Amino acid sequence: MTRPSEDDLIARFFAPLATSAGADGLTDDAAVVPEGEGDLVVTKDMAIAGVHFFPDDPPGLIAAKALRVNLSDLAAKGAVPSGFLLGLGLPPDWTTDFLAAFADGLGRDITAYGCPLLGGDTVKVPGPLTLSVTAFGRATRTVRRRGARPGDLLCVTGTIGDGALGLAARQAERQPATAPDWLRLIAPEERAHLVDRYLSPRPRVALAAAVARHASAAMDVSDGLVGDLAKMMAASGTGARLDAGAVPLSGAAAAAIALDPALRMRALTGGDDYEILLACPPDRLAALRDDAAAANVPLTVIGEVTEGAEVSWTAGGQVLSFGSGRFEHF
Amino acid sequence: MTRPSEDDLIARFFAPLATSAGADGLTDDAAVVPEGEGDLVVTKDMAIAGVHFFPDDPPGLIAAKALRVNLSDLAAKGAVPSGFLLGLGLPPDWTTDFLAAFADGLGRDITAYGCPLLGGDTVKVPGPLTLSVTAFGRATRTVRRRGARPGDLLCVTGTIGDGALGLAARQAERQPATAPDWLRLIAPEERAHLVDRYLSPRPRVALAAAVARHASAAMDVSDGLVGDLAKMMAASGTGARLDAGAVPLSGAAAAAIALDPALRMRALTGGDDYEILLACPPDRLAALRDDAAAANVPLTVIGEVTEGAEVSWTAGGQVLSFGSGRFEHF
């Protein structure tokens, strides 16, 4: 099968996804971002095969995840998505089948999240598949990392650790001989849940407006809860007191940790959660909880912001130390 | 020398370039695009080492060109730059010296073009240096490729062909044994001019406002004048009559063509010009010329838009045919 030119490829796979007037059907070198109220928030995350995803992950999920990690950043800033640009660097061995599946996965998410493709660039790379997504959103108030104040309650959405444990499960799928014991012992549906959470993060777009209304500080949890929380407190010039026992776990993650207690560290410090960590003034918590319930987003209080610079984690009354990123005592 | 972490690298090399309030000092996952009047125009061009630039090009010029090709797209749409995002994929052998020079070149252009760094993403790639720039601009009217009307005059800024001939000159610099005769015969300062035009395009930002005021259609010339003009006419549903003899050439390009007449084809069909091709209604030409003169941008009429779909090039009364991109008669 001959492979299409760049123009043909864009016309065939991507122009159908570019329904916004400002995209001009992807027939031009630039797009016009839709008008809207509030701050125009932009974020850009790259994803490289072999670094951020496995080259043999399903193409539609590769595309969707590249978009979703950006929508997660927007949601954590309080921004509702309004469109995105796709930079696509195709490796020498790309196929039209790959692109068709890639565009199909992207199209589903464009519809699901109401986030049209506005434009982008397609190039060939003498290297791995390279994705660079720039996503736009509107926020009535852009919520920064640096706004937390002593007394604020620290909350996370959803569950923590599935992404990191799912990465291990996905690695074991690809190389079964290297699977650790817990992955051999865990129920198949729990293993599947973890792999799914790794391959298909669920950006908390539904909570974006509530974040803008209530949060004093927020960020998405992409590099591990412990590290990301430390960054948010450092940016805010505050400390925090956290209860590791309060950190919400999925049934699958709890089962994995029951089989191998050391996995609790991986759950707390691993990445790929794409949940929202936020600080909420106590007098806004009830309203935030109502908004989260209305958006069908689970929300859990895991600690509070303190004066000073110390971030302390406890569990069952015992102090935990993550030291240089290593989980030294639990 | 130990290499800095991603956060250190951002703080050291890029945060000083992010002076816009919306960039929040690059301490967050997202940026707020500055407010402004008119359409918010966005464009995204990737640049890959070994494809779009030579890995041993000067780092500051690699950075500047990655930004400038985007500013060129904006200017051709009538948009004045307001900021950009940088996606930076670092290959395994990156050095802090490289990054320091890269950031220095970027910083010069940020100042020169008034286009602040708003944010981005830095990742490691198991492949070539990968740049993905998303640039924003404001246009009082976004000028598309598709607006040309029969009777409009076709104009280009600057000179055509220096980029394509400069690419040949840069290749010869890197591999002197392969240099064609014309590069051995041309004056050193002319060779240097061509290399400079290839390495350092000059986006016509100064003409952006005039494009928005006067042009019925416009695009930047990045893939070769003949091909880009054909695209603009196809998008407009028009044909065109062009005088190849009117296409402006630099002294260096003219000297090269005098040495090797076949280079005229390369000048007209090669890429990397980053000049603006535009269609202008005849009654706006005088005002456009005045604005171009005030902006110190040379502007040349090279033909006119016609009914129908045929794009015909003549030179000295003879019809030229580029056939399937090949220069078949001149």
Side-chain angles (χ1 to χ4, degrees), chain B residues 112-195:
Chain B
Y113 294 103
C115 185
L117 177 65
L118 294 177
D121 191 23
T122 303
V123 299
K124 289 177 187 159
V125 295
L129 177 67
T130 298
L131 307 173
S132 176
V133 169
T134 302
F136 304 90
R138 294 281 178 180
T140 54
R141 184 172 71 91
T142 304
V143 180
R144 293 298 195 177
R145 290 183 185 178
R146 60 178 152 71
R149 285 158 301 190
D152 286 352
L153 296 164
L154 290 163
C155 309
V156 289
T157 58
T159 58
I160 294 295
D162 297 303
L165 300 180
L167 168 59
R170 175 78 181 111
Q171 282 169 326
E173 260 184 8
R174 300 178 75 240
Q175 298 186 296
T178 68
D181 286 344
W182 68 271
L183 275 166
R184 299 177 201 278
L185 296 170
I186 201 171
E189 62 274 19
E190 290 173 334
R191 197 164 56 230
H193 168 86
L194 295 174
V195 170

Side-chain angles (χ1 to χ4, degrees), chain A:
Chain A
M1 177 160 44
T2 59
R3 298 198 296 185
S5 70
E6 182 188 348
D7 285 348
D8 291 343
L9 179 165
I10 290 168
R12 177 166 162 194
F13 295 114
F14 296 110
L17 307 181
T19 53
S20 168
D24 210 20
L26 304 185
T27 61
D28 212 313
D29 298 312
V32 177
V33 177
E35 304 260 343
E37 294 293 309
D39 287 347
L40 182 75
V41 181
V42 292
T43 187
K44 183 187 192 77
D45 268 345
M46 299 176 80
I48 315 283
V51 180
H52 302 94
F53 57 88
F54 295 106
D56 57 352
D57 284 346
L61 299 186
I62 291 172
K65 185 167 180 175
L67 176 59
R68 289 180 186 191
V69 301
N70 283 277
L71 300 186
S72 178
D73 277 327
L74 290 181
K77 304 291 101 184
V80 175
S82 48
F84 72 105
L85 304 173
L86 173 66
L88 177 62
L90 291 171
D93 61 350
W94 72 275
T95 65
T96 50
D97 283 353
F98 174 89
L99 264 193
F102 182 94
D104 187 58
L106 205 56
R108 287 172 203 272
D109 268 27
I110 286 170
T111 302
Y113 293 103
C115 185
L117 177 65
L118 293 177
D121 191 23
T122 303
V123 299
K124 290 178 187 159
V125 296
L129 177 68
T130 299
L131 307 173
S132 176
V133 170
T134 302
F136 305 89
R138 293 281 178 181
T140 54
R141 185 173 69 91
T142 304
V143 180
R144 292 299 194 178
R145 291 183 185 177
R146 60 179 152 71
R149 285 157 302 190
D152 286 352
L153 295 164
L154 290 163
C155 310
V156 290
T157 58
T159 57
I160 294 296
D162 297 304
L165 300 181
L167 169 60
R170 175 77 181 113
Q171 282 170 326
E173 261 184 7
R174 301 179 75 241
Q175 298 186 295
T178 67
D181 286 344
W182 68 271
L183 274 167
R184 300 177 202 276
L185 296 170
I186 200 170
E189 63 272 20
E190 290 173 334
R191 196 165 54 229
H193 168 86
L194 295 174
V195 170
D196 176 66
R197 284 296 310 270
Y198 168 71
L199 289 176
S200 295
R202 309 290 200 276
R204 298 300 189 176
V205 173
L207 202 68
V211 170
R213 273 196 294 277
H214 306 299
S216 54
M219 68 188 293
D220 78 330
V221 183
S222 54
D223 293 337
L225 176 62
V226 168
D228 285 341
L229 190 134
K231 285 180 192 171
M232 197 166 94
M233 296 304 98
S236 297
T238 58
R241 229 181 346 253
L242 285 307
D243 177 5
V247 173
L249 300 174
S250 69
I257 292 169
L259 289 164
D260 180 351
L263 292 176
R264 188 181 290 270
M265 175 200 172
R266 201 182 300 180
L268 292 173
T269 61
D272 273 312
D273 293 301
Y274 302 106
E275 298 290 352
I276 297 178
L277 167 68
L278 62 84
C280 179
D283 60 357
R284 309 301 295 259
L285 185 65
L288 173 64
R289 280 196 196 282
D290 288 348
D291 285 349
N296 207 21
V297 175
L299 187 84
T300 308
V301 175
I302 60 169
E304 75 177 296
V305 181
T306 59
E307 305 271 359
E310 193 192 354
V311 176
S312 69
W313 286 84
T314 57
Q318 280 198 296
V319 174
L320 311 183
S321 168
F322 296 95
S324 55
R326 290 195 59 229
F327 190 90
E328 295 174 359
H329 177 78
F330 195 68

